[in-house]
């Protein structure tokens, strides 16, 4: 039965927000994990752009469609904050990350952080990525049913360690394994139903994981402070804003934990999605491979990667089909409105780009893989400023989006040069939305080594 979230003030022209509470205690959590698009579509069909739902004891409003998403993400009246929104989900595990900061604190951190993602630094990162990717792919054993997502997750986390840490000198294999497990535990803890330090729960594992990560980075921090190198850990220790502001030790650790999570988890699902669709659409795989072969090198520069136009189209389409971050969390710090609906102070807000990316109003035949949507003669992503928003919008738009694109295209270039692969045309990835989306079957592909490649 539909209910009203809160009545607008007397004499207000604003509309109340309607919605449903869902199941006792868990609300709509299980429905979201099972199929978030179906849940969002049901809310859209019943209530339109703005509605409310219950999720694990809290009431959230669902902001659906590009107009409503734009209002919240642009946040012109500064009524919405990131910190309180994300903190209820991932705060205990990723506090201090740029995505969880607001106002002047966010601006200070962003001004410093942007010095770590200049074009020059990304170019240097690509130079380091190439041999690391090459070495990692030497360990892949082509076979039918190769679990691509599982292998890619290991690859991207290893790359994050190399690029961001400059390697972890002195660390044992067991310690590195515990760090990887800690990252997974922190991410998965975000949607815990039990949110207390109870042994055996995701929440407890996430809290323990955060402590493991803090101890790990704190041990390496003095050496990075002492000597400037090109790895991100060292860069964060030495960069400063134009005003001369620098990060404290605790801030460096907070940012490293958040960035390592962001750098490998979101890239992994995008790479996995790309392997799926290229395996199901061999003409596109051949087209992308032809462009990679035309480069004549297995060590492409950042400029070379910019020239892989077909791969860029595929990447954008896969970011549309499976948004690495399906929803973005905010909280209203004072009474405000969204699309003419009254939003009371304290309300949690779920901005859903994943739903926008599947709206037939903006994307004809939205479930069809069609990278040409992004070609210059079509540019369906330009029909609305917020039709395509995998990296968010407003002042919190992802600062690492260009690095992420370079990493993804570099890895795909190496994969195309080394391997052919096939995925059954009828395969549908069983996506698990317990935290960030991932294929619960490990993303099987039939992988074959190519007989000739540029090495």
């Amino acid at each position: 039965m539909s209910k009203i979230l809160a009545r607008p003030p007397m004499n207000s022209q604003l509309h109340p927000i309607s919605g449903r509470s869902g199941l006792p205690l868990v609300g709509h959590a299980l429905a979201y994990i099972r199929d978030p698009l179906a849940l969002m579509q049901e809310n859209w069909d019943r209530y339109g752009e703005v509605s409310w739902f219950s999720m694990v004891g809290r009431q959230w409003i669902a902001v659906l469609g590009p107009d409503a998403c734009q209002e919240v993400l642009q946040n012109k009246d500064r009524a919405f904050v990131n910190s309180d929104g994300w903190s209820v989900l991932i705060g205990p595990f990723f506090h201090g990350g740029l995505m969880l900061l607001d106002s002047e604190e966010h601006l200070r951190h962003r001004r410093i952080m942007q010095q770590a993602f200049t074009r020059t630094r990304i170019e240097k990162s690509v130079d380091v990525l190439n041999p690391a990717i090459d070495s990692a792919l030497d360990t892949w054993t082509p076979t039918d049913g190769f679990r691509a997502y599982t292998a890619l997750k290991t690859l991207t986390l290893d790359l994050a360690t190399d690029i961001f840490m400059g390697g972890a000198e002195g660390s044992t294999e067991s310690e590195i394994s515990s760090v990887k497990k800690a990252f997974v535990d922190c991410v998965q803890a975000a949607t815990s139903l039990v949110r207390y330090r109870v042994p055996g729960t995701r929440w407890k594992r996430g809290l323990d994981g955060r402590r493991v990560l803090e101890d790990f980075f704190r041990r390496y921090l003095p050496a990075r402070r002492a000597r400037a190198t090109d790895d991100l850990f060292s860069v964060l220790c030495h960069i400063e804003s134009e005003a001369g502001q620098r990060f404290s030790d605790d801030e460096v650790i907070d940012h490293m934990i958040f960035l390592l999570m962001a750098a490998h988890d979101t890239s992994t699902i995008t790479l996995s999605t790309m392997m799926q669709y290229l395996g199901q659409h061999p003409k596109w795989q051949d087209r992308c491979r032809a462009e990679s072969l035309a480069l004549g090198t297995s060590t492409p520069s950042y400029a070379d990667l910019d020239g892989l136009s077909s791969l860029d189209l595929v990447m954008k389409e896969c970011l549309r089909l499976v948004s690495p971050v399906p929803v973005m969390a905010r909280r209203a710090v004072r009474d405000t409105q969204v699309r003419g609906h009254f939003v009371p102070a304290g309300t949690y807000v779920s901005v859903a780009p994943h739903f926008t990316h599947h709206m037939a109003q903006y994307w004809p035949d939205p479930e069809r893989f069609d990278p040409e949507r992004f070609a210059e003669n079509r540019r369906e992503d330009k029909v609305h400023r917020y039709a395509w928003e995998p990296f968010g919008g407003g002042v919190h738009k992802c600062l690492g989006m260009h690095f992420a694109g370079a990493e993804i295209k570099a890895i795909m270039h190496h994969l195309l040069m080394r391997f052919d692969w096939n995925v059954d045309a009828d395969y549908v990835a069983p996506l698990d939305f317990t935290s960030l989306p991932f294929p619960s079957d490990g993303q099987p592909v039939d992988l074959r080594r190519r007989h000739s490649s540029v090495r």
Side-chain angles (χ1 to χ4, degrees), residues 268-281:
T268 301
I269 184 57
T270 301
L271 286 161
S272 176
T273 305
M274 291 173 74
M275 286 198 73
Q276 175 195 330
Y277 283 102
L278 289 178
Q280 292 176 313
H281 298 270

Side-chain angles (χ1 to χ4, degrees), residues 11 30 61 72 84 96-97 99 165 167 197 288 324 401:
N11 302 320
L30 298 180
I61 65 170
V72 176
D84 288 353
M99 193 173 74
M165 285 282 295
R197 192 187 285 272
C288 291
M401 57 186 290

Side-chain angles (χ1 to χ4, degrees), residues 1-39:
M1 179 181 296
S2 297
K3 297 180 180 179
I4 300 301
L5 177 63
R7 295 288 179 185
M10 291 290 292
N11 302 320
S12 171
Q13 300 299 310
L14 299 178
H15 302 290
I17 299 176
S18 298
R20 300 163 295 151
S21 58
L23 297 173
L25 298 179
V26 299
H28 291 88
L30 298 180
Y32 176 86
I33 292 171
R34 185 167 54 249
D35 191 343
L37 271 181
L39 175 62

Side-chain angles (χ1 to χ4, degrees), residues 113-123 302:
M113 183 72 73
Q114 66 188 7
Q115 303 304 317
F117 290 98
T118 62
R119 183 176 180 92
T120 299
R121 292 197 187 279
I122 296 175
E123 288 172 344
Y302 187 34

Side-chain angles (χ1 to χ4, degrees), residues 13 19 52 55 74 82 110 124 152 186 202 210 266 300 311 407:
Q13 300 299 310
W52 74 268
M55 186 77 76
Q74 287 189 338
N82 273 40
R110 192 175 180 92
K124 290 181 179 179
L152 288 166
C186 285
R202 284 183 175 177
R210 169 72 193 203
T266 54
L311 198 57
E407 179 189 33

Side-chain angles (χ1 to χ4, degrees), residues 32 40 53 55 60-64 69 72 326-330 348-353:
Y32 176 86
M40 296 172 194
F53 63 99
M55 186 77 76
W60 291 73
I61 65 170
V63 175
L64 303 174
C69 289
V72 176
V327 298
M328 300 167 189
R330 301 290 189 270
Y348 291 98
V349 181
S350 173
V351 183

